[in-house]
Amino acid sequence: MTHSKLLLHICCAPDATIPWPELIGEGYDAIGYFYGGNIHPREEYEKRAEAVKILSDNIGAPVHIADVPAADWIAAVHGFENEPEGGARCAKCFRLQLDTAATYAAANGFTHLSTTLTISPHKNIVLINETGAESAKNHGLIWVARIWRKNNGFKRSVDASRAMGLYRQNYCGCIFSIRVPREVDANDDQ
Protein backbone atom coordinates (compact mmCIF):
# COMPACT_ATOMS: atom_id res chain seq x y z
CA MET A 1 0.00 0.00 0.00
CA THR A 2 1.42 3.39 -0.94
CA HIS A 3 1.24 6.67 0.95
CA SER A 4 1.37 9.09 -1.91
CA LYS A 5 2.98 9.78 -5.23
CA LEU A 6 6.45 11.19 -4.45
CA LEU A 7 8.90 12.72 -6.90
CA LEU A 8 12.49 12.10 -5.79
CA HIS A 9 14.89 14.69 -7.14
CA ILE A 10 18.08 12.77 -7.97
CA CYS A 11 21.41 14.56 -8.23
CA CYS A 12 23.25 11.37 -9.31
CA ALA A 13 22.70 7.62 -9.24
CA PRO A 14 25.12 6.82 -6.38
CA ASP A 15 23.38 9.33 -4.13
CA ALA A 16 19.98 7.77 -4.91
CA THR A 17 20.97 4.20 -4.03
CA ILE A 18 19.85 4.61 -0.40
CA PRO A 19 17.02 7.20 -0.49
CA TRP A 20 15.05 5.73 -3.38
CA PRO A 21 14.61 2.18 -2.04
CA GLU A 22 14.04 3.50 1.48
CA LEU A 23 11.22 5.78 0.35
CA ILE A 24 9.66 2.91 -1.57
CA GLY A 25 10.05 0.77 1.55
CA GLU A 26 8.19 3.44 3.53
CA GLY A 27 5.28 2.98 1.13
CA TYR A 28 5.76 5.94 -1.18
CA ASP A 29 5.14 5.55 -4.89
CA ALA A 30 8.58 7.09 -5.43
CA ILE A 31 9.43 8.08 -8.98
CA GLY A 32 12.91 9.41 -9.80
CA TYR A 33 13.62 12.78 -11.39
CA PHE A 34 17.12 13.49 -12.70
CA TYR A 35 17.62 17.19 -13.38
CA GLY A 36 21.09 17.37 -14.95
CA GLY A 37 21.11 20.93 -16.32
CA ASN A 38 23.97 21.70 -13.95
CA ILE A 39 26.13 18.81 -15.18
CA HIS A 40 29.07 19.72 -17.42
CA PRO A 41 30.40 18.76 -19.90
CA ARG A 42 27.66 17.04 -21.90
CA GLU A 43 29.52 13.73 -21.85
CA GLU A 44 29.42 13.84 -18.04
CA TYR A 45 25.67 14.49 -18.11
CA GLU A 46 25.20 11.45 -20.38
CA LYS A 47 27.26 9.18 -18.08
CA ARG A 48 25.25 10.27 -15.05
CA ALA A 49 21.89 9.97 -16.83
CA GLU A 50 22.79 6.45 -17.95
CA ALA A 51 23.76 5.50 -14.39
CA VAL A 52 20.38 6.79 -13.14
CA LYS A 53 18.61 4.64 -15.75
CA ILE A 54 20.59 1.59 -14.60
CA LEU A 55 19.64 2.29 -10.98
CA SER A 56 16.00 2.74 -12.00
CA ASP A 57 16.07 -0.69 -13.67
CA ASN A 58 17.75 -2.24 -10.60
CA ILE A 59 15.16 -0.77 -8.23
CA GLY A 60 12.25 -1.39 -10.58
CA ALA A 61 10.96 2.16 -10.28
CA PRO A 62 10.45 4.65 -13.11
CA VAL A 63 12.60 7.72 -13.62
CA HIS A 64 12.16 10.91 -15.62
CA ILE A 65 15.41 12.14 -17.16
CA ALA A 66 14.95 15.87 -17.62
CA ASP A 67 17.02 17.27 -20.46
CA VAL A 68 17.12 20.80 -19.10
CA PRO A 69 19.21 23.21 -21.17
CA ALA A 70 22.52 24.08 -19.52
CA ALA A 71 21.78 27.69 -20.45
CA ASP A 72 19.04 27.80 -17.78
CA TRP A 73 21.52 26.76 -15.11
CA ILE A 74 24.23 29.12 -16.39
CA ALA A 75 21.76 32.02 -16.27
CA ALA A 76 20.70 31.09 -12.73
CA VAL A 77 24.26 31.13 -11.39
CA HIS A 78 25.49 34.08 -13.46
CA GLY A 79 27.59 36.39 -11.33
CA PHE A 80 28.39 33.60 -8.87
CA GLU A 81 30.96 31.77 -10.98
CA ASN A 82 33.84 32.54 -8.58
CA GLU A 83 32.01 31.57 -5.41
CA PRO A 84 33.66 28.79 -3.45
CA GLU A 85 32.17 25.31 -3.48
CA GLY A 86 29.33 25.32 -0.96
CA GLY A 87 28.77 29.08 -1.34
CA ALA A 88 26.05 31.21 -2.90
CA ARG A 89 26.37 29.54 -6.31
CA CYS A 90 25.38 26.21 -4.76
CA ALA A 91 22.36 27.82 -3.11
CA LYS A 92 21.23 29.13 -6.52
CA CYS A 93 21.83 25.69 -8.06
CA PHE A 94 19.81 23.91 -5.35
CA ARG A 95 16.97 26.41 -5.84
CA LEU A 96 16.85 25.89 -9.60
CA GLN A 97 17.01 22.09 -9.33
CA LEU A 98 14.33 21.84 -6.65
CA ASP A 99 12.04 24.44 -8.27
CA THR A 100 12.31 22.59 -11.59
CA ALA A 101 11.53 19.27 -9.89
CA ALA A 102 8.59 20.84 -8.02
CA THR A 103 7.20 22.29 -11.25
CA TYR A 104 7.39 18.86 -12.89
CA ALA A 105 5.84 17.19 -9.84
CA ALA A 106 2.92 19.61 -9.67
CA ALA A 107 2.25 19.27 -13.40
CA ASN A 108 2.26 15.46 -13.23
CA GLY A 109 0.03 14.65 -10.27
CA PHE A 110 2.61 14.18 -7.54
CA THR A 111 1.72 15.07 -3.97
CA HIS A 112 5.16 14.87 -2.34
CA LEU A 113 8.71 15.95 -3.16
CA SER A 114 12.10 14.92 -1.75
CA THR A 115 15.76 14.97 -2.80
CA THR A 116 18.90 12.86 -2.61
CA LEU A 117 21.10 15.94 -2.10
CA THR A 118 21.30 15.46 1.69
CA ILE A 119 23.28 12.24 1.40
CA SER A 120 26.44 14.17 0.52
CA PRO A 121 28.78 15.13 3.35
CA HIS A 122 29.71 18.22 1.29
CA LYS A 123 26.24 19.77 1.04
CA ASN A 124 24.41 22.12 3.42
CA ILE A 125 21.49 19.99 4.59
CA VAL A 126 19.69 22.84 6.36
CA LEU A 127 19.77 24.95 3.19
CA ILE A 128 18.66 22.02 1.05
CA ASN A 129 15.69 21.13 3.26
CA GLU A 130 14.63 24.79 3.61
CA THR A 131 14.86 25.30 -0.14
CA GLY A 132 13.01 22.06 -0.85
CA ALA A 133 10.25 22.89 1.62
CA GLU A 134 9.75 26.31 0.03
CA SER A 135 9.76 24.89 -3.52
CA ALA A 136 7.26 22.20 -2.52
CA LYS A 137 4.96 24.67 -0.74
CA ASN A 138 5.02 27.07 -3.71
CA HIS A 139 3.80 24.22 -5.93
CA GLY A 140 1.19 22.77 -3.57
CA LEU A 141 3.35 19.78 -2.62
CA ILE A 142 4.42 18.25 0.68
CA TRP A 143 8.16 18.29 1.32
CA VAL A 144 9.58 15.03 2.66
CA ALA A 145 12.66 16.21 4.55
CA ARG A 146 15.37 13.67 5.12
CA ILE A 147 19.02 13.73 6.09
CA TRP A 148 20.14 10.72 4.10
CA ARG A 149 23.76 10.83 5.23
CA LYS A 150 22.73 9.87 8.77
CA ASN A 151 23.28 6.27 9.88
CA ASN A 152 26.27 5.91 7.52
CA GLY A 153 24.04 6.77 4.57
CA PHE A 154 26.87 8.15 2.48
CA LYS A 155 29.11 5.14 3.12
CA ARG A 156 26.23 2.79 2.36
CA SER A 157 25.61 4.68 -0.91
CA VAL A 158 29.26 4.30 -1.89
CA ASP A 159 29.11 0.56 -1.18
CA ALA A 160 25.77 0.11 -2.98
CA SER A 161 26.85 2.03 -6.08
CA ARG A 162 30.06 0.02 -6.28
CA ALA A 163 28.15 -3.25 -5.90
CA MET A 164 25.85 -2.22 -8.79
CA GLY A 165 28.75 -0.98 -10.92
CA LEU A 166 27.28 2.52 -11.16
CA TYR A 167 29.34 5.36 -12.57
CA ARG A 168 30.76 7.44 -9.68
CA GLN A 169 31.92 10.98 -10.33
CA ASN A 170 34.58 12.95 -8.45
CA TYR A 171 32.97 16.41 -8.61
CA CYS A 172 29.47 17.78 -8.05
CA GLY A 173 28.89 18.26 -11.76
CA CYS A 174 29.03 21.96 -12.43
CA ILE A 175 31.70 23.40 -14.66
CA PHE A 176 33.07 25.48 -11.81
CA SER A 177 33.53 22.50 -9.50
CA ILE A 178 35.71 20.71 -12.07
CA ARG A 179 38.50 23.04 -10.96
CA VAL A 180 38.67 21.53 -7.48
CA PRO A 181 37.58 17.90 -7.31
CA ARG A 182 37.13 16.77 -3.72
CA GLU A 183 38.29 13.58 -2.14
CA VAL A 184 35.33 11.78 -0.70
CA ASP A 185 35.46 10.21 2.73
CA ALA A 186 33.00 7.33 2.74
CA ASN A 187 32.93 7.45 6.54
CA ASP A 188 31.78 11.09 6.79
CA ASP A 189 28.35 10.92 8.42
CA GLN A 190 27.97 14.49 9.72
Side-chain angles (χ1 to χ4, degrees):
M1 178 186 217
T2 60
H3 289 292
S4 303
K5 193 173 176 185
L6 180 143
L7 187 70
L8 178 62
H9 164 263
I10 297 172
C11 55
C12 66
D15 286 1
T17 58
I18 302 305
W20 205 353
E22 286 190 15
L23 288 165
I24 292 169
E26 290 175 22
Y28 287 102
D29 180 11
I31 309 301
Y33 178 88
F34 177 68
Y35 170 80
N38 60 316
I39 308 298
H40 300 94
R42 182 68 187 189
E43 296 79 24
E44 182 70 17
Y45 164 85
E46 290 168 0
K47 286 179 190 176
R48 293 185 191 199
E50 184 59 30
V52 170
K53 290 175 191 173
I54 291 167
L55 178 61
S56 169
D57 289 344
N58 267 320
I59 291 173
V63 65
H64 174 74
I65 306 292
D67 195 5
V68 180
D72 292 354
W73 180 83
I74 290 168
V77 301
H78 180 73
F80 295 88
E81 297 86 353
N82 294 317
E83 283 286 314
E85 220 32 46
R89 181 183 67 248
C90 294
K92 298 254 182 212
C93 183
F94 297 155
R95 167 76 56 204
L96 179 61
Q97 290 188 60
L98 294 171
D99 280 349
T100 303
T103 298
Y104 178 86
N108 289 281
F110 289 85
T111 55
H112 291 68
L113 179 66
S114 193
T115 186
T116 64
L117 286 166
T118 62
I119 205 163
S120 171
H122 304 298
K123 304 271 189 282
N124 181 331
I125 56 175
V126 172
L127 175 64
I128 291 164
N129 276 317
E130 287 175 355
T131 303
E134 186 178 328
S135 294
K137 181 180 177 185
N138 290 342
H139 289 84
L141 304 167
I142 298 166
W143 177 248
V144 178
R146 292 290 194 279
I147 301 173
W148 296 111
R149 67 184 179 213
K150 283 186 172 181
N151 301 316
N152 290 316
F154 182 72
K155 182 180 183 325
R156 291 185 297 132
S157 75
V158 170
D159 294 344
S161 61
R162 284 187 179 140
M164 286 185 234
L166 297 175
Y167 171 72
R168 292 190 51 80
Q169 64 279 352
N170 66 356
Y171 67 104
C172 84
C174 91
I175 195 164
F176 308 111
S177 68
I178 294 172
R179 301 183 293 223
V180 189
R182 293 183 173 185
E183 289 299 316
V184 176
D185 181 356
N187 296 310
D188 193 343
D189 197 27
Q190 301 296 311

